[in-house]
Amino acid sequence: MSHPKRAEIFTRDAERTTWHDETLWFVRQKRDKAVYAVPEFQELRELASQIKTHTLSRLADYLEQFEAQAKANGVHVHWASNAEEHNAIVLDIIRQQNATSIVKSKSMLTEECHLNPYLLRHGVEIVDTDLGERIVQLRQESPSHLVLPAIHLKKEDVGATFFKHLGTAEGEVDPQVLTEAARQHLRARFLAAEVAISGVNFAIAETGSVVVCTNEGNADLAVNLARVHIASMGIEKLIPRLSDLSVFTRLLARSATGQPATTYTSHFSRPAAGKELHVILVDNGRTQQLGRPDFRASLKCIRCGACMNTCPVYRRSGGHSYDFTVPGPIGAILSPNIDMRQHASLPFASTLCGSCTDVCPVKIDIHTQLYKWRQVIAAADEIPASKKWSMRLLSRVLARPAMYELGGKFARTSLRFVPHALTHAPGYNPWAIARELPEPPPQSFREWFKQTNPKP
Amino acid sequence: MTATARERILAATRANHFEANPLPTVPQFTGNDSVERFTEVLQSIGGKLCAYQHASHWPK
């Protein structure tokens, strides 16, 4: 199903759409306030961009440096070319431990690899411990936002979910009561966990450490209680030096939620005594993206979600309309690299206003890449036939002034007589589903100009 | 012999290395008044700053 069709499902509930739009705009405003309070913010953005670009330019060297340091620290380092290999490595570690109780903190990579359903198919149940992720997991949904996975839900939805799965009172919608219920429910899972899986926000080549940023402390609780910690990371998460981290931690939380810093920024360098720390380095299409000069900058992404909060299309179409692990503008430039045919409609889910580029903390030229993907997709003949033929027709008309003038006259005349039901037929003119066509003017601008400015 | 995932990833990554800027130096950013900044952030989240010259001046 294409993005417009999925977006149509979301926008059927106008009240929810407006609420979603306003909520994310509120987060964008919080971001602005936090950013304006830091005079060197633009300098930090430029530094972050340069550090990431430099790292990508010699990524293999930094991967090897990271691996050597991590191994020297007693960390088990694994490599996975794709999602299947990643999932198999995780399952293998779980089976070696004879573990049955597994918890996971927020990790977009494991979502990307569809780890949860894979483990379930192999008889292993996994519990997401981030509150938003747990809510969507109970509802058998995917996260709709990178940082705010349940942002598409209202407290009434959460109340109904907890009533069904956690035994809260029917109709209970008090956020404090619901959060406490989740806390009690998750606490038992934390205490029983034998294996804890986490994502990775940054990996430092110089020290062989991984850094995990959360607000709930769930990752810290889980990995410190369990005897085995598995940290899954995309290979693009590397930064060269510990000193580079200070740039990114100042950008991440401000860009994501408008906070000065994430509540927890935890460094994992070596396993605690008697415990194991595994790091899985995952490619899953990243080296392919690295090989596309026009699109490799997308690998600089630090998953803050700022581009989503500011995007007028994302805010009014919801994260699930993208049908990709990473929704929003950044997802729309990452997804065609994974499967161009399946995600061909996503680079078109943008007004190209450039707001995403303006707020990106690592200065990814997101809207330029969206425009470039459109060209690649059109050249590969992956756009709908109706769009293809209408664009071809339009290019012919626009290239011929006489034909354009004639077409304009025809449209101005015919629109006065064609019935509204035809001009606004949803199957024929999706543009007009929520819009009215303007009243056809009696003459074109050119005709008006000639008439009002007659040649002497 | 089949290449390992490590070998495949490193080879694919190395094949796509490109010319780029050197690693920049991260400056200290010491130009800000940290007390003023702390106060601003504290107040923005609803806090109130109580400043005393010495611990002995703290209210009992």
Side-chain angles (χ1 to χ4, degrees), chain A residues 190-206:
Chain A
F190 280 123
L191 291 170
E194 296 155 298
V195 173
I197 301 169
S198 78
V200 169
N201 290 91
F202 305 100
I204 303 163
E206 179 182 56

Side-chain angles (χ1 to χ4, degrees), chain A residues 393-413 441 443-447:
Chain A
L393 178 65
L394 190 63
S395 68
R396 289 191 174 198
V397 171
L398 293 176
R400 293 167 177 79
M403 196 184 285
Y404 176 76
E405 200 171 333
L406 189 68
K409 267 186 188 160
F410 175 74
R412 283 192 298 278
T413 310
Q443 57 189 166
S444 69
F445 172 78
R446 188 183 290 266
E447 289 166 344

Side-chain angles (χ1 to χ4, degrees), chain A residues 54 60-61 67 81 85 241, chain B residues 6 8 14 16-17 21 24:
Chain A
H54 168 84
D61 299 340
E67 181 193 37
S81 297
E85 289 183 8
R241 305 163 302 198
Chain B
R6 180 184 185 278
R8 285 196 300 274
R14 192 155 273 126
N16 291 311
H17 277 187
N21 57 290

Side-chain angles (χ1 to χ4, degrees), chain A residues 53 56 289-290 292-301 329-337 346-348 350 352 354 356-357 360 362-377:
Chain A
T53 303
L56 291 172
Q289 190 82 325
L290 191 63
R292 298 178 191 266
D294 282 345
F295 304 112
R296 64 165 64 117
S298 60
L299 295 171
K300 296 193 292 183
C301 178
I330 185 67
I333 58 176
L334 291 170
S335 56
N337 176 59
L346 295 188
F348 296 88
S350 168
L352 299 183
C356 46
T357 302
C360 178
V362 288
K363 299 185 90 168
I364 302 171
D365 54 340
I366 300 174
H367 75 295
T368 308
Q369 292 194 33
L370 285 166
Y371 177 61
K372 285 179 180 168
W373 265 120
R374 292 181 185 188
Q375 293 169 20
V376 173
I377 288 165

Side-chain angles (χ1 to χ4, degrees), chain A residues 38 40-48 247 250-251, chain B residues 29:
Chain A
V38 180
E40 64 269 26
F41 196 82
Q42 296 307 324
E43 196 178 342
L44 288 168
R45 284 180 77 211
E46 181 58 35
L47 272 171
V247 175
R250 295 188 73 193
L251 291 166
Chain B
F29 295 115

Side-chain angles (χ1 to χ4, degrees), chain A residues 95-377:
Chain A
R95 284 187 171 158
Q96 280 178 20
Q97 297 293 324
N98 291 319
T100 53
S101 185
I102 323 295
V103 290
K104 180 162 73 70
S105 61
K106 198 139 81 58
S107 155
M108 295 314 291
L109 179 69
T110 57
E111 294 290 336
E112 175 187 320
C113 294
H114 304 292
L115 178 66
N116 288 17
Y118 172 88
L119 291 179
L120 264 181
R121 284 199 301 277
H122 289 83
V124 178
E125 192 188 355
I126 190 165
V127 174
D128 280 313
T129 56
D130 174 270
L131 178 56
E133 291 247 323
R134 185 58 178 152
I135 293 167
V136 295
Q137 185 184 31
L138 290 172
R139 296 170 63 90
Q140 298 186 323
E141 292 177 354
S142 56
S144 68
H145 189 286
L146 284 177
V147 179
L148 314 158
I151 194 65
H152 59 292
L153 300 171
K154 300 180 93 166
K155 60 185 177 184
E156 291 78 10
D157 302 316
V158 178
T161 304
F162 282 13
F163 165 67
K164 184 176 173 187
H165 296 281
L166 305 189
T168 53
E170 189 168 14
E172 180 62 69
V173 294
D174 182 340
Q176 192 162 347
V177 173
L178 295 175
T179 308
E180 186 56 33
R183 181 185 165 90
Q184 295 304 326
H185 160 71
L186 286 171
R187 188 53 55 110
R189 269 68 181 178
F190 280 123
L191 291 170
E194 296 155 298
V195 173
I197 301 169
S198 78
V200 169
N201 290 91
F202 305 100
I204 303 163
E206 179 182 56
T207 60
S209 320
V210 295
V211 179
V212 182
C213 305
T214 69
N215 278 327
E216 297 173 21
N218 54 313
D220 306 78
L221 192 55
V223 304
N224 283 299
L225 287 169
R227 65 173 183 261
V228 176
H229 174 191
I230 303 172
S232 295
M233 59 172 273
I235 54 175
E236 83 286 11
K237 297 289 182 189
L238 272 180
I239 51 174
R241 305 163 302 198
L242 184 58
S243 58
D244 299 324
L245 183 67
S246 63
V247 175
F248 293 97
T249 49
R250 295 188 73 193
L251 291 166
L252 178 63
R254 287 183 171 89
S255 300
T257 56
Q259 295 168 254
T262 46
T263 312
Y264 300 89
T265 301
S266 304
H267 297 236
F268 299 98
S269 298
R270 55 182 56 82
K275 296 190 177 186
E276 291 180 18
L277 172 55
H278 297 256
V279 174
I280 309 177
L281 298 161
V282 185
D283 180 349
N284 205 34
R286 285 159 177 80
T287 51
Q288 185 176 306
Q289 190 82 325
L290 191 63
R292 298 178 191 266
D294 282 345
F295 304 112
R296 64 165 64 117
S298 60
L299 295 171
K300 296 193 292 183
C301 178
I302 58 170
R303 305 290 193 267
C304 68
C307 60
M308 298 166 198
N309 303 338
T310 200
C311 177
V313 176
Y314 174 87
R315 291 203 317 267
R316 295 196 70 81
S317 63
H320 289 152
S321 65
Y322 291 79
D323 193 26
F324 186 64
T325 310
V326 181
I330 185 67
I333 58 176
L334 291 170
S335 56
N337 176 59
I338 303 295
D339 188 336
M340 188 161 70
R341 176 165 290 180
Q342 188 186 342
H343 303 295
S345 66
L346 295 188
F348 296 88
S350 168
T351 62
L352 299 183
C353 66
S355 185
C356 46
T357 302
D358 290 343
V359 299
C360 178
V362 288
K363 299 185 90 168
I364 302 171
D365 54 340
I366 300 174
H367 75 295
T368 308
Q369 292 194 33
L370 285 166
Y371 177 61
K372 285 179 180 168
W373 265 120
R374 292 181 185 188
Q375 293 169 20
V376 173
I377 288 165

